[in-house]
Amino acid sequence: MKKWEKQTMKIAALGAMALTLAGCATAKSSSSQGNNPGKTIKIGVNMELSGSAAGYGEQQKQGIQLAVKKINKSGGIKVGGTKKKIQLVIRDNKTSNTTAASVAAQLVNNDKVVAVVGPATTSAGTAAIPNMTKAAVPSVSPSATDPDYTLQKSGKVQKYIFRACYQNNFQGATAATFVTKNLKAKRVAILTDNSSDYGTGLTKAFKKQYRGTVVSSQTFQEGDKDFNAILTALKHKKIDAIYAPGYYSEIGLIVKQARQAGIKAPIVGNDGMADAKLAQIAGKSNATNVYYTTPFSTKASATNKVASKFMSAYKAKYGSTAPTFSALAYDSVYMIKAAIEKEGSANSVKIADGLAKLKNFKGVTGTTTIDKQHNPEKTISIEQLTNGVVSKVYNVK
C-alpha cells in the first residue's frame, strides 16, 4: 500500500510540474506574440481627459484625432501589400494612477489594441507600464518627461515604453545654459512645484548645469494661489532671473503676482507653461520677459513643411493655434505609423521593434531619432513672451 501511495504521489507531482511548465510556456508565448490587428488597426488612447491634467489631455486628444483623420483619409497605414485604417479606442484615466493602470489593462486585454498613445503624465504612464509590458503592447507618451520613465529600476530599457518628448534633465539643463549665456544671469531664484517629480526633476537638472549663484530656492504645491509672501522676500534680494518649473496654472499666478510686486526680472520655465492659458491667468501685460523650453514652436516651425500643414489643419478644425501638446500627440500617432510601415506588420511586438529603430522621423516637432533608452533626440526651442504673445524663439540643439 505504501509503495503504491509513493508511486501515485510521484506521478501526481510530475503531472503537476508538467502543468506548471505548460502554463509558464503558454504565458510566455502569449506575451511574446502580443496583439494583432483585425480589419482595422486599433490604437488605444490612455489619456487624462478629466481631473487636474485634463487641459493637457484634451489638447493631446485633439492632436491624435487630427492625425488619425488625415491617415484614414489617405487610405490608412500600409501593412505589407495592403492598407488598413486606424480605429481609435479612447479611454479617460481621470488623471489617476490607479485608473491609468486599469485603462491600460482594458485597452490591451479587452479592446486588443496594438499600440497606445498616452498617458500624458509620467506618474500615470508609469502606473500603466506593467500591464503594457505583460501584454507586449507599446505605448508612446507625448509628454511624460521624467528621465527614468522609459527605464526599469535596474537601468535597463522598458521594451514597450517610448515617448515623443525630451526628458526633464535635457530641458532643465537647456534652461540653465540659456539663463547663463543668453540672459547673462549670474544670480537666480528658483521656485519649484514640488508636488510631482516633474518640477523637482527640472530643478535638479537646472541646478546641476547652472554655473551662477542660486540666491533663493523655494517650493510650492499644485493648487496654491497666493505666492506673495515668497515674492515679497525675493523682491529684496538681488536677482537677475527667476527659474520657475511647473504648470501654467500656478506659474501664471506667479508671473502675475511677481509683476504686481514690482519684480521685472526674467521668469524662465518649462514646457508646462506652453499654453495660451498662461497669459490669460497672468494678464497679457504681465506675461512679458517670460521664457520657457518647448519641443514645438509655431514660429520656429514656420519653415517646417510638415508643421505648417499641421498648423493649418489644426486651425481649420479647432479654430485656434495648435498648442505644443497637440503637436506632440500628433507626432506620436505618426511615429506608430512609421514603425508599422518599417516592419511591414501591425503586430504589437513588431511595432515596438519599429519604434526602437526609428531614425530621422520627420515630424511636426522636428526630426526625431529614438535612442537606446527610447528617448527622442530632437531640437529644443525656447519661446519668449511679450505682452502674452510669442515674440521671439531661440533654437537650441
Side-chain angles (χ1 to χ4, degrees), residues 93-316:
N93 65 41
K94 302 178 181 179
T95 317
S96 161
N97 295 349
T98 303
T99 307
S102 176
V103 164
Q106 291 174 339
L107 288 171
V108 299
N109 296 325
N110 300 342
D111 302 316
K112 297 295 181 182
V113 301
V114 295
V116 171
V117 178
T121 62
T122 298
S123 55
T126 300
I129 288 175
N131 287 328
M132 300 303 299
T133 302
K134 186 177 180 181
V137 174
S139 72
V140 180
S141 173
S143 54
T145 56
D146 187 88
D148 295 331
Y149 175 63
T150 61
L151 303 177
Q152 300 175 33
K153 288 183 179 180
S154 64
K156 188 178 178 181
V157 71
Q158 296 276 9
K159 179 175 171 59
Y160 296 98
I161 306 303
F162 301 83
R163 56 176 145 206
C165 58
Y166 43 66
Q167 58 269 46
N168 287 340
N169 50 6
F170 180 43
Q171 66 169 323
T174 298
T177 300
F178 176 78
V179 164
T180 303
K181 292 185 177 180
N182 296 79
L183 300 183
K184 310 296 182 185
K186 296 180 179 179
R187 294 167 59 86
V188 303
I190 299 176
L191 303 181
T192 304
D193 177 357
N194 71 344
S195 54
S196 72
D197 291 338
Y198 182 59
T200 56
L202 286 162
T203 293
K204 183 179 179 181
F206 180 90
K207 285 182 174 179
K208 185 177 181 181
Q209 181 71 18
Y210 183 59
R211 296 295 176 261
T213 301
V214 177
V215 298
S216 176
S217 188
Q218 305 292 328
T219 62
F220 61 89
Q221 292 282 320
E222 179 186 343
D224 284 355
K225 304 292 183 184
D226 188 352
F227 303 93
N228 285 299
I230 295 175
L231 294 169
T232 299
L234 288 183
K235 187 177 179 180
H236 300 293
K237 295 180 182 289
K238 183 182 177 182
I239 56 172
D240 300 317
I242 296 173
Y243 182 59
Y247 295 107
Y248 67 79
S249 46
E250 287 76 33
I251 305 302
L253 289 171
I254 288 174
V255 171
K256 180 180 182 179
Q257 292 170 26
R259 299 309 185 223
Q260 289 175 339
I263 298 174
K264 298 180 180 180
I267 297 175
V268 183
N270 50 283
D271 58 356
M273 295 166 61
D275 192 291
K277 293 185 182 69
L278 177 80
Q280 293 173 14
I281 294 169
K284 289 186 177 180
S285 61
N286 293 324
T288 295
N289 207 14
V290 172
Y291 307 80
Y292 52 81
T293 50
T294 176
F296 175 71
S297 170
T298 53
K299 283 185 176 294
S301 300
T303 56
N304 177 343
K305 290 182 179 179
V306 177
S308 295
K309 288 180 180 179
F310 162 73
M311 288 188 287
S312 296
Y314 189 94
K315 181 80 172 179

Side-chain angles (χ1 to χ4, degrees), residues 43 63-65 67-68 71 77 86 88 117 140 328-338:
I43 295 179
I64 292 165
Q65 291 175 323
V68 171
I71 292 168
I77 300 176
I86 297 173
L88 277 183
V117 178
V140 180
L328 286 167
Y330 185 93
D331 275 354
S332 298
V333 175
Y334 271 91
M335 286 167 65
I336 293 170
K337 175 180 181 288

